């Protein structure tokens, strides 16, 4: 008996192992964020770094919506509403918190009181790496995420009785209600009236969010570091959720609710949990979005924004985390790329080679996909050359090209880029040979 106890204690993980397993996602996120901020950002330049920040925020939004639409199979169309809740809460805390807590005479850079990792201004920054202003910014994003999670709990309750088109209408209505409520708030107190802010209670300040004009002159803390720190944490958390027992339960609900309930899955709890988790990350993305552009307007976060996020999830594949992330990056870059379309054939030829190599390795030849890629890239290159020869500005038709490419993609591959799989599952694995297989 004593030997059995000793063996069981030896198999138990040590304290350091448990701590390392809990901390490695944060350490990886910090490493990715530092690489993006100190190396990739200067190489990209201001304009391309801005696109990279938007792409990272869209990755958080698309991957978080995958938890509801992809894992649980609940069709939500109000994701931008959660983003708006988190964005306004984070913007209100950061904006009014700075004016209440800092002497106006010390605000030489507007309302910016952050450190090096939050610096987006012009010129060399001289100061500490992190300040309590960064803590205010990160804390406000997390509080915004919690506020959005609370809204997600409220929206998740109707999903107990509704699904499909009916649930889509409910979530769409929620997004519109959020937009109207924020557009009905009071006018924003400008920064030059910071002295008056200290005499106004917090609950009243959180009702002064700009109304239909939105909030402006927000401090811009969002850098590549913060965006890719949160994006990495979102990816790791959602992947861990997918491979956990909770994720298996959500996938079972997506496939067949009645069968999942018969197997003992608590459908109510898992559906609401999916909405809460998804809304939390959307709220964090809303805070990053608000402090990236320095302004926030509920009109920009209506149903059109929700549709954009849904397109990313559908294009990536319903249930694929890596597919949603890749689709978010593609759909962020593509409209900007179409402003001045580059030569298509080198990239198209490389794509053909990659797809052909993957199909050959998997032993599943599908000439249809290769033909579609060849035809589309050839048509784009011919159209680009004809437009240049006739002096046509393709930037005027970039949204038409954008929509045409989406239609072509969905006709050629309706299940999305990766379907329900992840990108690393597309790589063929050598199966171990069983004994006597060669005989």
């Amino acid at each position: 008996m004593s030997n059995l106890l000793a063996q069981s204690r030896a198999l138990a993980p040590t304290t350091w192992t448990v701590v390392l397993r809990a901390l490695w996602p944060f350490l990886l996120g910090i490493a990715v964020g530092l690489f993006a901020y100190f190396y990739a950002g200067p190489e990209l330049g201001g304009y391309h770094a801005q696109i990279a920040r938007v792409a990272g925020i869209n990755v958080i939004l698309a991957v978080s919506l995958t938890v509801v639409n992809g894992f649980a199979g609940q069709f939500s169309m109000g994701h931008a509403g959660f983003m708006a809740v988190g964005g306004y809460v984070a913007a209100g805390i950061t904006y009014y918190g700075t004016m209440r807590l800092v002497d106006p005479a010390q605000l030489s850079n507007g309302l910016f009181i952050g450190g090096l990792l939050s610096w987006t201004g012009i010129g060399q920054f001289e100061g500490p790496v992190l300040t309590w202003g960064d803590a205010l910014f990160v804390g406000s994003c997390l509080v915004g995420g919690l506020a959005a999670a609370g809204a997600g709990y409220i929206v998740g309750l109707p999903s107990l009785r509704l699904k499909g088109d009916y649930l889509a209408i409910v979530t769409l209505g929620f997004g519109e209600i959020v937009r109207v409520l924020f557009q009905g708030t009071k006018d924003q107190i400008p920064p030059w009236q910071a002295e008056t802010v200290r005499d106004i209670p917090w609950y009243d300040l959180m009702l002064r969010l700009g109304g239909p004009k939105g909030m402006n002159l927000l401090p811009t803390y969002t850098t590549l570091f913060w965006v890719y720190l949160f994006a990495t944490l979102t990816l790791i958390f959602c992947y861990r959720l997918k491979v956990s027992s909770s994720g298996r339960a959500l996938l079972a609900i997506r496939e067949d609710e009645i069968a999942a309930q018969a197997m003992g899955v608590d459908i109510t709890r898992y559906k609401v949990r999916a909405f809460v988790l998804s809304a939390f990350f959307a709220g964090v993305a809303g805070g990053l979005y608000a402090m990236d552009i320095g302004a926030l307007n509920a009109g920009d976060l209506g149903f059109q924004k929700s549709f954009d996020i849904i397109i990313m999830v559908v294009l990536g594949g319903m249930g694929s985390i890596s597919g949603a992330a890749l689709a978010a990056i593609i759909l962020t870059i593509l409209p900007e790329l179409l402003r001045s379309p580059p030569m298509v054939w080198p990239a198209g030829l490389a794509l053909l080679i990659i797809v052909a190599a993957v199909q050959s390795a998997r032993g599943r030849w599908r000439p249809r996909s290769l033909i579609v890629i060849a035809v589309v890239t050839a048509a784009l290159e011919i159209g680009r050359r004809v437009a240049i020869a006739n002096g046509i500005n393709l930037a005027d038709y970039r949204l038409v090209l954008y929509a045409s490419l989406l239609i072509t993609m969905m006709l050629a591959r309706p299940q999305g880029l990766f379907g329900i799989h992840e990108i690393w599952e597309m790589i063929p694995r050598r199966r171990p040979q069983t004994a006597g297989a060669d005989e």
Side-chain angles (χ1 to χ4, degrees), residues 322-395:
S322 54
L326 182 60
I329 295 172
I330 292 174
L331 294 183
T332 305
I333 295 175
L334 189 58
E336 303 301 322
L337 200 64
L338 292 176
R339 291 181 187 275
S340 179
M343 290 184 63
V344 181
W345 255 114
L349 187 60
L351 185 61
L352 274 173
I353 295 172
I354 293 172
V355 173
V358 171
Q359 289 186 355
S360 176
R362 294 175 64 85
R364 298 177 181 176
W365 273 101
R366 293 175 180 172
R368 178 185 170 187
S369 58
L370 298 176
I371 294 172
V372 169
I373 295 172
V375 171
V376 170
T377 51
L380 287 174
E381 181 61 22
I382 293 171
R384 189 184 72 87
R385 296 191 180 192
V386 170
I388 293 173
N390 293 280
I392 299 174
N393 186 12
L394 286 177

Side-chain angles (χ1 to χ4, degrees), residues 172-400:
L172 183 63
F174 162 77
E176 289 301 293
I177 290 172
V178 169
R179 180 182 63 81
V180 172
L181 287 178
F182 281 120
Q183 288 183 333
T185 55
K186 302 177 183 177
D187 289 340
Q188 176 186 2
I189 299 176
W192 49 89
Q193 296 179 7
E195 292 291 344
T196 62
V197 170
R198 301 186 177 189
D199 302 327
I200 301 176
W202 268 106
Y203 65 85
D204 193 16
L205 287 175
M206 295 310 291
L207 297 177
R208 299 173 182 269
L209 300 177
K213 293 182 290 187
M215 296 194 75
N216 299 293
L217 302 175
L218 299 173
T220 53
Y221 287 98
T222 302
T223 61
L224 287 173
F225 171 76
W226 298 115
V227 169
Y228 284 92
L229 168 63
F230 282 110
T232 305
L233 293 176
T234 305
L235 287 167
I236 294 174
F237 180 87
C238 290
Y239 179 70
R240 280 187 164 186
L241 174 66
K242 183 179 180 180
V243 298
S244 68
S245 58
S246 298
R248 300 296 182 192
L250 289 173
L251 296 177
I253 294 172
R254 180 189 67 185
E255 299 300 328
D256 194 324
E257 285 190 18
I258 298 175
Q261 192 170 20
M263 293 300 293
V265 175
D266 189 343
I267 294 178
T268 302
R269 185 178 64 175
Y270 283 108
K271 280 185 178 179
V272 175
R273 186 181 295 178
F275 268 98
V276 170
L277 293 175
S278 175
F280 172 79
F281 288 111
V284 172
L288 294 172
Y289 170 81
M291 257 67 79
D292 180 29
I293 60 177
L296 187 63
N297 193 315
D300 298 333
L301 303 179
F303 62 88
Q304 181 62 48
K305 182 66 178 177
S306 293
F307 289 154
D308 292 341
I309 305 169
I310 291 171
I311 291 172
M312 295 172 189
V313 175
V314 174
L315 182 63
M318 300 289 280
S320 173
I321 295 172
S322 54
L326 182 60
I329 295 172
I330 292 174
L331 294 183
T332 305
I333 295 175
L334 189 58
E336 303 301 322
L337 200 64
L338 292 176
R339 291 181 187 275
S340 179
M343 290 184 63
V344 181
W345 255 114
L349 187 60
L351 185 61
L352 274 173
I353 295 172
I354 293 172
V355 173
V358 171
Q359 289 186 355
S360 176
R362 294 175 64 85
R364 298 177 181 176
W365 273 101
R366 293 175 180 172
R368 178 185 170 187
S369 58
L370 298 176
I371 294 172
V372 169
I373 295 172
V375 171
V376 170
T377 51
L380 287 174
E381 181 61 22
I382 293 171
R384 189 184 72 87
R385 296 191 180 192
V386 170
I388 293 173
N390 293 280
I392 299 174
N393 186 12
L394 286 177
D396 297 337
Y397 302 95
R398 65 189 184 97
L399 293 181
V400 177

Side-chain angles (χ1 to χ4, degrees), residues 34 38 114-118 125 127-131 134 226:
L34 290 175
F38 286 108
L116 173 63
L117 292 178
S118 300
F125 180 81
V129 176
L130 291 170
T131 67
D134 302 303
W226 298 115

